[in-house]
Amino acid sequence: MIYDLLAPIYDSINSDIDYKSWADFIEEILNKEMKIPPELILDLACGTGRMTLELASRGYDMTGVDLSTEMLDVARTLAEEAGHDILWLCQDMRAFELYGTVDAVVSCLDSINHITEYEDLVKCFSLVHNYLIPEGIFIFDVNGKFKFENIYADRTYTMEEEGAVCIWENDYDSESRLCDFYITLFKEDETGKYARYDDLETERMYTLAEIKSALSETGMEFIGAYSDFDFRDGDDHSERIYIVAKCRK
């Protein structure tokens, strides 16, 4: 799994992400949409736990779920260094299990796009609905049409960090709305030599209508879609769409 190999440099190659502003955005939604302030929050597909930790620092009782053991190892280490007691679970977002309900669920950095089958999207949303309290809030983001067609497209990107070089070759099919990422990672070992690793990751571009349909099928009420943290309306042509839904039971 390529994310196991990327785990040590993942935060470095995503150093431009403003988690504080993102968490402010999440808190503003929670304060607006929930009558009682949330305590328990699930970070679904949490990666190295940067958002999990940001929300934990604001007093929330956090659980992080991710499929990559290496990502969770990084998250666990960061949490211990920061003095946060967080439950980390290595599980697939399409088939996760919790010990009880949570007040809110967040999922960041287009994790939902990695679910490439609509049926699996419905499974994921069904589980979110199952583990949310009545009127609980689900906040997630997806990459929009603009990003798939103009930023991913058929381009190649290279990212360099100390001891590692990562090359992403993109192949986007506008009919299937699937984008294949052919990833090559050159990673330095303890002898100073570089080993090569190759993997394939795929994301799907979901229309807003599909997202709304999947939410509706699973008992979730669509609340809004935004293009940025200033709550400007988002649509299929947005680069990234931030979506808010509420659990109806």
Side-chain angles (χ1 to χ4, degrees), residues 71-119:
M71 288 285 205
L72 289 176
D73 283 345
V74 173
R76 188 176 294 108
T77 298
L78 292 173
E80 290 174 355
E81 292 174 351
H84 294 305
D85 184 14
I86 296 172
L87 175 63
W88 305 104
L89 300 174
C90 186
Q91 297 181 349
D92 192 317
M93 66 192 302
R94 298 166 299 182
F96 67 91
E97 295 182 13
L98 302 180
Y99 297 104
T101 56
V102 295
D103 303 322
V105 176
V106 299
S107 186
C108 303
L109 285 173
D110 52 89
S111 297
I112 297 297
N113 290 109
H114 285 275
I115 302 175
T116 58
E117 298 293 335
Y118 180 80
E119 294 76 11

Side-chain angles (χ1 to χ4, degrees), residues 146-159 166-173 179-183:
F146 180 87
K147 186 165 187 176
F148 278 92
E149 293 185 348
N150 298 280
I151 298 176
Y152 284 162
D154 297 318
R155 302 188 179 192
T156 299
Y157 294 93
T158 301
M159 293 164 284
C166 185
I167 302 170
W168 295 64
E169 296 181 69
N170 303 338
D171 182 13
Y172 179 60
D173 185 330
C179 188
D180 290 328
F181 307 105
Y182 298 93
I183 304 172

Side-chain angles (χ1 to χ4, degrees), residues 46 65-66 77 123 142 148 154 185 204-206 216 247:
C46 64
V65 167
D66 200 89
T77 298
K123 288 180 183 178
V142 293
F148 278 92
D154 297 318
L185 176 65
R204 177 176 176 179
M205 191 277 285
Y206 287 101
S216 179
C247 177

Side-chain angles (χ1 to χ4, degrees), residues 131-144:
Y131 287 110
L132 273 174
I133 63 169
E135 309 301 303
I137 296 297
F138 182 27
I139 304 169
F140 61 97
D141 66 273
V142 293
N143 286 325

Side-chain angles (χ1 to χ4, degrees), residues 10 13-14 25 28 62 84 99 124 126 136 144 161 180 187 193-194 202 207-208 210 232 234:
Y10 184 81
I13 62 179
N14 287 288
F25 172 74
E28 190 168 349
M62 300 298 300
H84 294 305
Y99 297 104
C124 175
S126 293
E161 290 296 327
D180 290 328
K187 196 170 185 181
K193 295 181 179 180
Y194 281 79
T202 303
T207 66
L208 197 51
E210 287 176 313
R232 282 187 280 264

Side-chain angles (χ1 to χ4, degrees), residues 16-84:
D16 60 327
I17 298 172
D18 186 351
Y19 286 99
K20 182 181 183 302
S21 294
W22 202 332
D24 288 343
F25 172 74
I26 288 171
E27 282 201 299
E28 190 168 349
I29 293 168
L30 296 177
N31 292 335
K32 177 183 177 182
E33 298 294 339
M34 300 191 72
K35 296 179 180 178
I36 300 176
E39 296 181 2
L40 305 175
I41 298 180
L42 166 66
D43 188 356
L44 189 59
C46 64
T48 57
R50 292 294 300 278
M51 180 58 76
T52 327
L53 291 168
E54 179 62 38
L55 292 173
S57 71
R58 300 175 184 222
Y60 299 103
D61 187 348
M62 300 298 300
T63 296
V65 167
D66 200 89
L67 188 57
S68 169
T69 56
E70 297 296 330
M71 288 285 205
L72 289 176
D73 283 345
V74 173
R76 188 176 294 108
T77 298
L78 292 173
E80 290 174 355
E81 292 174 351
H84 294 305

Side-chain angles (χ1 to χ4, degrees), residues 75 102 134 212 230:
V102 295
K212 290 179 179 179
D230 292 326

